[in-house]
């Protein structure tokens, strides 16, 4: 895959590949999202994965929000 961009590869991809090991795709309240597993047992929203524009207006699904593991559906 070719990616044309004026940004350097370090601005697009993280330097440490191990940081990707803590990311996963889950469902919270029926919405799919990519989350990052925190050390305290919570997950932090990295990216909302939805085709519904209304989902992006919901204040509960702003990137950076944290969720309890009990809210997460696999």
């Amino acid at each position: 895959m070719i990616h044309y961009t004026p940004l350097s590869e370090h601005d697009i991809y993280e330097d440490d590949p191990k940081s990707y090991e803590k990311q996963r795709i889950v469902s919270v309240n029926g919405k799919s999202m990519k989350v990052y597993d925190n050390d305290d047992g919570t997950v932090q929203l990295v990216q909302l994965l939805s085709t519904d524009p209304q989902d992006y207006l919901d204040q509960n699904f702003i990137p950076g929000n944290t969720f309890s593991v009990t809210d997460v559906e696999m």
Side-chain angles (χ1 to χ4, degrees):
M1 180 175 102
I2 298 173
H3 187 118
Y4 293 102
T5 179
L7 302 173
S8 72
E9 67 178 82
H10 301 291
D11 293 332
I12 298 171
Y13 304 108
E14 294 187 32
D15 293 331
D16 184 17
K18 292 189 184 256
S19 65
Y20 292 108
E21 293 175 2
K22 288 190 157 196
Q23 293 183 7
R24 58 189 167 128
I25 306 294
V26 298
S27 179
V28 175
N29 297 335
K31 311 293 184 213
S32 294
M33 58 187 67
K34 185 187 331 181
V35 296
Y36 181 84
D37 290 323
N38 292 325
D39 294 332
D40 62 357
T42 61
V43 294
Q44 184 176 14
L45 175 60
V46 175
Q47 179 182 13
L48 180 62
L49 306 171
S50 177
T51 57
D52 185 359
Q54 292 297 320
D55 291 343
Y56 293 91
L57 299 175
D58 190 341
Q59 296 294 315
N60 295 320
F61 300 119
I62 295 175
N65 283 359
T66 57
F67 299 95
S68 170
V69 176
T70 58
D71 296 335
V72 174
E73 303 164 11
M74 296 296 184

